[in-house]
Amino acid sequence: MFELVATKPFDGQKPGTSGLRKKVTVFQQPHYAENFLQSIFDSLEGFAGKTLVIGGDGRYYNPQIVQIAIRMAAANGFGRVIVGQGGLLSTPAASHLIRKNGAFGGIILSASHNPGGPDGDFGIKYNAGNGGPAPEKITDAIFAKTKTISTYKTLDTQDIDIKKIGNVELANMIVEVVDPVSDYAALMQTLFDFDAIRDLFKSGFKMKFDGMGAITGPYARRIFEDILGAKSMVMNGVPLPDFGGHHPDPNLVHAKELCDLVLASNGPEFGAASDGDGDRNLIIGRNMYVTPSDSLAIIAANAQLAPAYVAGIAGVARSMPTSCAADLVAKKLGVPSFETPTGWKFFGNLLDAGMATVCGEESFGTGSNHVREKDGVWAVLMWLNILAKRRESVETIVKSHWREYGRNFYTRHDYEEVDLARANDLMGNLRKSLGGFAGKNGIKTADDFSYRDPVDNSFTECQGIRLVYENGSRIIYRLSGTGTAGATLRVYIEKYEADVIKHNVETQVALADLIGQANSIAAIQANTGRTAPTVIT
Ligand code: G1P
Ligand code: ZN
């Protein structure tokens, strides 16, 4: 039954910010997924007889790869696979299952917020035993293996029935099919004050949640509607292979339907959305969009309202491009704040070491030490917990936060599918000019961000060009590590404003000067041929 299949390496199987992400058509090449999975297994040691968690966000090609991964796990010697029913698991739920079951690791099938369907994207990532994305030393090893692979191990068997909950035997391995939501929902009940949230809904508080045709629909239905008693508040709640044509990225552009509903003056009090695999979140209130950077700061400042964090938080971590709003909260709380490179994997060590409790990224990612991934539904529940305890509107909570700490105006401009060579030139030119920026036009320092991990001392460099102004304003440039076509240039712009009188200005207006400077410093128009960003968040 065991098979050793001959294969040849594929170019470019380098894990990016979050695993290997390519077009579905690339993954459909014979042996492509198998090569990558075998390279993962070949980079790991000591998993014989141990448990592997497998699941994905339900996108097109998920069912096929789940079967391949299960067979290969058995052939490679795992003793047990835990798989979400139908092959489904949100990324944070997979992280929780790894931790809860003491699994050796997990394979998560997702291209996160990238579109799905036959012409869309697919992805595979490996999470380690702490439940978090594999650290760079493992992803580097995986990439090295993909370049020399010559065989992979699999089984010659029929597809395994993963539609029913229960155990199935496969060669020497047990396949345990579990409900994708139950364990995760139970975890959430230990973290938050569900009674208070139930009372909030009973009082007539209205909320809309957009599942964006992706994985979180079933999680939202069970938790918000069945357990917490919110009435028919889930939209686009059925996970579909092409996400119903949605681009499942919860931001003002792609979650427009939800935003139009909630941002209206007669809309529901609260709106939220999550992405393809359930790790991102969008938080909006009536008349008030909460930037992810502000959301992180507000969560850090109010975490004690939730039972799991009542004793206080140990520290806050944010990715470098995320606004500095959370640092101000950490300072006031007297706890450390950490600035890491982009990508959740850099938070893992801080969380494992108990140095940080709450983490976040400007890219709609927020989470805590309850799992080792960012967690969309967690962030929504945290907001509900805060709203239930404070009984104030989202707008009031945000504005009073600004009053107390000052406002960090913040925007990100993305230029998608730019010609790769031109994007590399733009970044190369900025790197070459780095020495000349400081001391001119109000710029205090200019560098290419690098990070020394305080726990394992590992060093990561070239993480983005950072211009920091005398007054604390910042312009940051980096290229995306998750795109699958050409290059995506991300420009992050931030300005701090202490004066309450100036807090109610529209963000793009408040940042107009800095945006102009960001464009001219990098000669974005000349270098990309674009006159405007593709997406502004
Ligand atoms: C993007 C975000 C980053 C996030 C990652 C995975 O990566 O910017 O914060 O961790 O997606 O969700 P990027 O494409 O910028 O490399
Ligand atoms: Zn995601």
Side-chain angles (χ1 to χ4, degrees):
M1 215 160 51
F2 288 90
E3 274 193 339
L4 202 58
V5 181
T7 185
K8 287 204 196 74
F10 286 91
D11 279 342
Q13 290 197 320
K14 183 174 167 54
T17 312
S18 190
L20 179 69
R21 212 174 276 186
K22 300 282 176 195
K23 292 273 168 219
V24 166
T25 46
V26 172
F27 270 99
Q28 283 171 327
Q29 299 171 86
H31 311 309
Y32 189 88
E34 289 88 341
N35 274 19
F36 190 69
L37 288 165
Q38 188 64 50
S39 299
I40 294 175
F41 297 143
D42 287 347
S43 308
L44 307 173
E45 272 169 24
F47 56 77
K50 302 247 166 82
T51 301
L52 183 71
V53 170
I54 299 178
D57 62 13
R59 66 178 59 228
Y60 188 84
Y61 217 44
N62 195 82
Q64 289 87 335
I65 302 287
V66 166
Q67 294 290 340
I68 290 172
I70 295 174
R71 282 194 195 98
M72 288 183 63
N76 277 275
F78 278 94
R80 176 168 74 139
V81 152
I82 297 175
V83 60
Q85 188 179 20
L88 298 180
L89 282 177
S90 77
T91 290
S95 181
H96 176 52
L97 282 178
I98 294 171
R99 296 167 66 76
K100 176 169 182 264
N101 293 284
F104 187 86
I107 302 281
I108 302 179
L109 309 175
S110 166
S112 187
H113 51 286
N114 294 16
D119 301 320
D121 291 341
F122 194 80
I124 301 182
K125 64 175 185 167
Y126 176 70
N127 279 31
N130 70 347
E136 293 215 309
K137 72 173 187 305
I138 298 185
T139 52
D140 288 347
I142 295 170
F143 183 43
K145 296 279 181 196
T146 67
K147 294 191 226 173
T148 57
I149 187 166
S150 58
T151 54
Y152 63 83
K153 293 180 206 151
T154 187
L155 299 181
D156 181 17
T157 53
Q158 300 284 310
D159 278 359
I160 306 106
D161 182 4
I162 53 171
K163 286 193 212 78
K164 281 196 302 287
I165 289 170
N167 289 358
V168 189
E169 271 178 46
L170 178 70
N172 297 325
M173 193 178 81
I174 301 288
V175 180
E176 192 178 326
V177 182
V178 299
D179 177 272
V181 182
S182 299
D183 285 323
Y184 177 82
L187 172 67
M188 292 300 119
Q189 297 190 58
T190 67
L191 303 178
F192 299 110
D193 189 338
F194 270 44
D195 287 336
I197 301 174
R198 231 175 256 127
D199 285 346
L200 179 72
F201 285 124
K202 261 193 219 136
S203 74
F205 177 88
K206 296 222 169 28
M207 167 181 173
K208 273 275 172 209
F209 178 88
D210 191 346
M212 304 192 88
I215 190 74
T216 49
Y219 292 82
R221 286 236 160 88
R222 181 93 57 89
I223 296 171
F224 302 135
E225 294 185 352
D226 300 350
I227 303 178
L228 289 168
K231 299 271 173 328
S232 60
M233 44 77 83
V234 180
M235 51 200 268
N236 303 309
V238 179
L240 300 168
D242 66 349
F243 306 128
H246 283 103
H247 184 156
D249 197 1
N251 59 38
L252 297 177
V253 177
H254 297 302
K256 188 166 183 310
E257 195 188 347
L258 173 81
C259 293
D260 286 349
L261 265 175
V262 181
L263 293 174
S265 50
N266 59 351
E269 284 93 338
F270 186 53
S274 190
D275 72 328
D277 62 330
D279 58 0
R280 293 188 172 198
N281 72 88
L282 169 71
I283 300 292
I284 43 180
R286 188 183 282 163
N287 282 323
M288 176 56 75
Y289 156 64
V290 189
T291 70
S293 295
D294 278 347
S295 178
L296 173 65
I298 291 167
I299 285 175
N302 291 275
Q304 279 180 292
L305 298 174
Y309 312 93
V310 78
I313 55 175
V316 185
R318 62 166 175 84
S319 65
M320 181 274 282
T322 303
S323 98
C324 302
D327 301 9
L328 304 174
V329 175
K331 198 165 171 209
K332 192 154 199 177
L333 293 174
V335 299
S337 56
F338 299 90
E339 184 175 44
T340 64
T342 296
W344 208 261
K345 61 187 167 205
F346 295 97
F347 295 138
N349 280 346
L350 299 172
L351 294 169
D352 284 350
M355 295 164 78
T357 307
V358 178
C359 309
E361 294 193 273
E362 51 67 39
S363 51
F364 299 84
T366 333
S368 88
N369 58 355
H370 67 291
V371 289
R372 291 295 179 272
E373 289 277 5
K374 56 190 177 238
D375 188 342
V377 171
W378 174 89
V380 180
L381 285 166
M382 178 59 103
W383 265 93
L384 282 170
N385 197 126
I386 294 169
L387 290 163
K389 293 285 185 176
R390 288 183 52 165
R391 295 291 176 129
E392 291 171 313
S393 70
V394 173
E395 187 176 1
T396 303
I397 290 172
V398 172
K399 289 193 168 160
S400 63
H401 186 90
W402 292 341
R403 210 173 306 122
E404 186 173 350
Y405 294 91
R407 177 171 181 187
N408 292 70
F409 281 99
Y410 187 84
T411 192
R412 182 175 106 183
H413 288 197
D414 289 338
Y415 297 81
E416 293 175 333
E417 299 196 24
V418 172
D419 178 72
L420 184 59
R422 291 176 84 173
N424 282 332
D425 281 353
L426 180 151
M427 292 301 289
N429 290 339
L430 284 171
R431 287 201 166 94
K432 269 189 242 141
S433 327
L434 266 182
F437 289 126
K440 287 182 210 137
N441 307 317
I443 298 175
K444 188 171 157 201
T445 58
D447 66 354
D448 191 351
F449 181 67
S450 61
Y451 178 67
R452 171 80 60 192
D453 186 300
V455 179
D456 66 12
N457 219 28
S458 59
F459 190 65
T460 311
E461 43 190 356
C462 298
Q463 293 300 304
I465 302 296
R466 180 169 64 157
L467 309 180
V468 182
Y469 286 70
E470 300 286 354
N471 62 6
S473 293
R474 301 192 307 161
I475 298 174
I476 292 146
Y477 305 89
R478 59 179 285 281
L479 296 185
S480 157
T482 58
T484 54
T488 295
L489 170 68
R490 304 203 195 284
V491 187
Y492 311 80
I493 297 136
E494 172 180 6
K495 176 182 161 193
Y496 179 73
E497 180 57 72
D499 186 354
V500 181
I501 309 291
K502 296 183 184 152
H503 283 174
N504 287 330
V505 182
E506 201 275 322
T507 300
Q508 301 301 315
V509 174
L511 295 173
D513 276 358
L514 276 173
I515 292 171
Q517 288 176 45
N519 291 350
S520 67
I521 289 171
I524 291 178
Q525 186 165 349
N527 277 313
T528 64
R530 303 288 177 79
T531 51
T534 336
V535 180
I536 296 180
T537 46

